């Protein structure tokens, strides 16, 4: 269980180590090819040290890695601008805590996101009014300037659903998400309409877990599973807490949360029935 930056370093290091081995090189041989000391390669591979994007490129060249998507992903983990979705949030670093910046970084690089939401609409699907009401409630005493900035960040994150290729979003929403009035009835009506519109996108899948389903495996709280292109070794589970986020990277953790998400999907309404359910709540049924 680690914080986000450490997870990314470890995952990047493990991937680079695997590529070096596949190229038939020792760490010493790899170091000589790029003009480094062997200890630098070892520190990168174990996640002890961070690595610059340019250095990742040097290693990938030495390992003869030509797959453009894999190169982009690994360079992105080191902090590259990558596919253009990365690092726009640096303009807001004065108001964003490190854990939130790291979450956005992972989100911007992921190819898929599975999320269980038990209290609020997923950030990627929130309207401006809803996002403002949620942010105001979540951060006590927030001055207006910072509130505006956080709302803009929430909306800017949604670009991942409009990128090419877009993020594949699969969300299971507890019925409480739909019933909780955030920002007033009119704000909620528009927010539910936004969910209905988003659910028709080919890369968005929404399912509602109705109250009638009773207690379920996700009752202990929401979670997010990020998936990345080309390799499952980079997948990570994110658990949000009041003052921080936890990142789970072990295979057994990923398997447990993936199985839990599959179970939640099984007990939830189908995507079509979920749309009908959301529409009925919006219409006051």
């Amino acid at each position: 269980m680690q914080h986000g930056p450490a997870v990314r370093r470890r995952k990047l290091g493990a991937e680079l180590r695997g590529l070096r081995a596949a190229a038939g090189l020792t760490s010493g041989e790899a170091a000589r090819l790029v003009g480094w000391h062997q200890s630098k390669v070892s520190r990168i591979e174990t996640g002890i040290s961070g690595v610059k994007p340019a250095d990742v490129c040097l290693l990938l060249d030495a390992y003869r890695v030509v797959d453009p998507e894999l190169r982009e992903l690994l360079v992105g983990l080191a902090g590259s601008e990558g596919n253009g979705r990365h690092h726009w949030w640096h303009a807001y670093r004065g108001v964003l805590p490190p854990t939130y910046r790291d979450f956005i970084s992972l989100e911007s690089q992921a190819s898929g996101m599975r999320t269980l939401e038990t209290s609020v609409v997923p950030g990627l699907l929130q309207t401006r009014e809803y996002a403002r009401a949620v942010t105001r409630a979540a951060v006590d005493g927030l001055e207006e300037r910072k509130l505006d900035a956080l709302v803009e960040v929430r909306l800017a994150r949604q670009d991942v659903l409009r990128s090419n290729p877009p993020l594949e979003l699969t969300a299971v929403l507890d019925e409480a998400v739909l019933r909780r009035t955030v920002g007033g009835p009119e704000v909620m009506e528009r927010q539910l309409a936004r969910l209905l519109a988003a659910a028709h996108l080919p890369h968005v899948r929404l399912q509602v877990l109705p109250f009638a389903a009773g207690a379920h495996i996700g009752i202990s709280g929401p979670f997010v599973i990020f998936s990345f292109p080309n390799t499952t070794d980079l997948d990570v589970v994110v658990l949000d807490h009041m003052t921080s986020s936890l990142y789970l990277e072990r295979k057994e953790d990923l398997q447990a949360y993936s199985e839990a998400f599959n179970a939640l999907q099984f007990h939830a309404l189908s995507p079509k029935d979920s749309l009908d359910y959301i529409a009925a709540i919006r219409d006051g049924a």
Side-chain angles (χ1 to χ4, degrees):
M1 185 180 298
Q2 305 222 7
H3 291 288
V7 168
R8 290 218 312 273
R9 287 198 304 271
R10 285 177 52 130
K11 288 184 176 295
L12 176 58
E15 188 68 12
L16 290 172
R17 184 169 62 249
L19 291 170
R20 172 180 59 74
L25 299 171
T26 66
S27 58
E29 290 168 339
R32 285 193 292 275
L33 283 174
V34 295
W36 299 345
H37 194 279
Q38 186 270 341
S39 63
K40 179 174 180 177
V41 174
S42 296
R43 290 196 304 272
I44 291 171
E45 290 185 351
T46 56
I48 294 174
S49 296
V51 56
K52 297 178 181 177
D55 288 344
V56 172
C57 288
L58 286 176
L59 292 173
L60 295 178
D61 289 342
Y63 305 158
R64 301 184 183 279
V65 176
V66 296
D67 183 327
E69 291 186 356
L70 181 57
R71 288 182 67 100
E72 180 180 356
L73 172 65
L74 297 179
V75 171
L77 284 175
S80 162
E81 289 296 323
N83 60 11
R85 298 195 324 204
H86 310 326
H87 285 194
W88 55 263
W89 55 91
H90 279 184
Y92 298 93
R93 59 183 175 272
V95 296
L96 298 180
T99 52
Y100 191 18
R101 293 200 301 269
D102 201 67
F103 182 91
I104 298 173
S105 176
L106 290 172
E107 185 178 72
S108 73
Q109 298 167 55
S111 58
M113 175 179 175
R114 289 169 286 170
T115 180
L116 166 68
E117 292 291 349
T118 58
S119 298
V120 298
V121 170
L124 295 182
L125 301 178
Q126 292 178 6
T127 65
R128 178 182 294 274
E129 298 162 303
Y130 185 99
R132 191 174 189 85
V134 165
T135 305
R136 189 187 295 278
V139 186
D140 187 46
L142 192 63
E143 63 182 71
E144 207 68 16
R145 180 184 61 83
K146 289 187 176 180
L147 175 60
D148 290 341
L150 290 173
V151 171
E152 290 304 321
V153 167
R154 183 70 54 90
L155 298 177
R157 283 173 47 201
Q158 298 175 4
D159 282 346
V160 296
L161 296 177
R162 296 183 287 267
S163 60
N164 185 22
L167 177 77
E168 298 281 340
L169 174 63
T170 303
V172 173
L173 310 180
D174 190 278
E175 184 172 344
V177 172
L178 310 175
R179 298 286 185 185
R180 177 171 288 105
T181 302
V182 174
E186 292 183 358
V187 170
M188 279 307 300
E189 182 179 353
R190 286 189 286 271
Q191 178 60 72
L192 295 177
R194 170 68 186 280
L195 287 178
L196 292 172
H200 285 93
L201 296 173
H203 52 282
V204 175
R205 178 188 177 96
L206 297 184
Q207 289 182 257
V208 174
L209 194 63
F211 289 148
H216 53 76
I217 197 168
I219 205 164
S220 59
F223 61 87
V224 172
I225 306 172
F226 284 120
S227 300
F228 295 87
N230 297 303
T231 174
T232 60
D233 290 340
L234 296 174
D235 292 358
V236 61
V237 176
V238 184
L239 307 178
D240 270 337
H241 295 271
M242 181 69 72
T243 57
S244 65
S245 297
L246 295 177
Y247 295 73
L248 309 179
E249 60 174 319
R250 297 185 309 164
K251 290 185 184 298
E252 49 266 47
D253 291 327
L254 287 164
Q255 181 177 349
Y257 277 89
S258 292
E259 291 175 354
F261 193 81
N262 291 340
L264 290 165
Q265 286 189 291
F266 177 79
H267 291 291
L269 301 176
S270 70
K272 181 181 182 304
D273 289 343
S274 294
L275 285 178
D276 294 339
Y277 208 80
I278 294 171
I281 294 175
R282 180 199 58 183
D283 296 338

